Every structure is written in C-alpha cells, then in structure tokens.
Amino acid sequence: GSALLIGWGIDATHHAGVPLLARLEWREGLNCLFAMVLLSLPMLIALTVLMRRGAPTHRGESAMAAGLGAAAWGAFVFFFACGHDDPLYIVFWYGLGCVLTALAGRALLPVLTRW
C-alpha cells in the first residue's frame, strides 16, 4: 500500500498540471497498440500450433492462456522500442494491447484447434 502511494506521489509531481488524457497521447498510443498486437502474432501462431498438437481438453482456457502468453511476449518485445516512460501511458496502452490479444486468442483458437 505505501509503495503504491509513494509511486503515485512521485508520478504526480513529475507530471504536475498535465491532464490525464494528454499524458495518454492517443495518436502514438494507437501506433503502439498496433505494433504490440502485430508483434504478438508470431507467438500466437506458434502457441496455436502447439495447442493443435497437444489436444487440449479445455480449449477455451487453453486459448486464453495462449492469448495471454502471446500478449505478454508482444508487450515485452515492443517495450525495447517504446519511447514512453510515463506509467499511465504504459499501463493503459500495454494493458489494452494485452487484453485485445488475449481476447482474440480466446475467440479464434478454439475454432482453429478442433480435433
């Protein structure tokens, strides 16, 4: 709890007077979101191949796990090219990219892995 409060205090003093929406920089954020999802696709394809070979009994849960794994990989790889260090920006755009990739995996993989 206290670490969160200290982190919030440091962040608030660093961006004093800047509106929250301006800190999100939505135009660059959409580019980051697109790149992050695109970078997660090779891992999602690889995990799909592994899922097909493994014959999962719980396809929905396996698909969600594969989507989350691919999303984490995409965010990790993109992090090295991201020019933003604002915690709000990172939490919002990276979180949105991970959610979209995980949901896409959850929606598509059960259909692709039927056996």
Side-chain angles (χ1 to χ4, degrees), residues 63-77:
M64 181 60 89
L68 285 172
W73 175 257
F76 172 74
V77 171

Side-chain angles (χ1 to χ4, degrees), residues 33 36-37 68 71-72 75 87-103:
L33 179 69
M36 198 178 326
V37 171
L68 285 172
L88 178 66
Y89 182 92
I90 291 170
V91 166
F92 183 80
W93 291 111
Y94 281 54
L96 187 58
C98 287
V99 166
L100 290 176
T101 303
L103 290 177

Side-chain angles (χ1 to χ4, degrees), residues 10-42:
I10 291 170
D11 184 52
T13 58
H14 181 67
H15 299 286
V18 178
L20 287 178
L21 289 178
R23 289 175 55 193
L24 289 178
E25 299 180 33
W26 68 272
R27 287 186 180 105
E28 289 183 35
L30 289 176
N31 290 333
C32 291
L33 179 69
F34 178 74
M36 198 178 326
V37 171
L38 192 63
L39 287 169
S40 69
L41 289 180

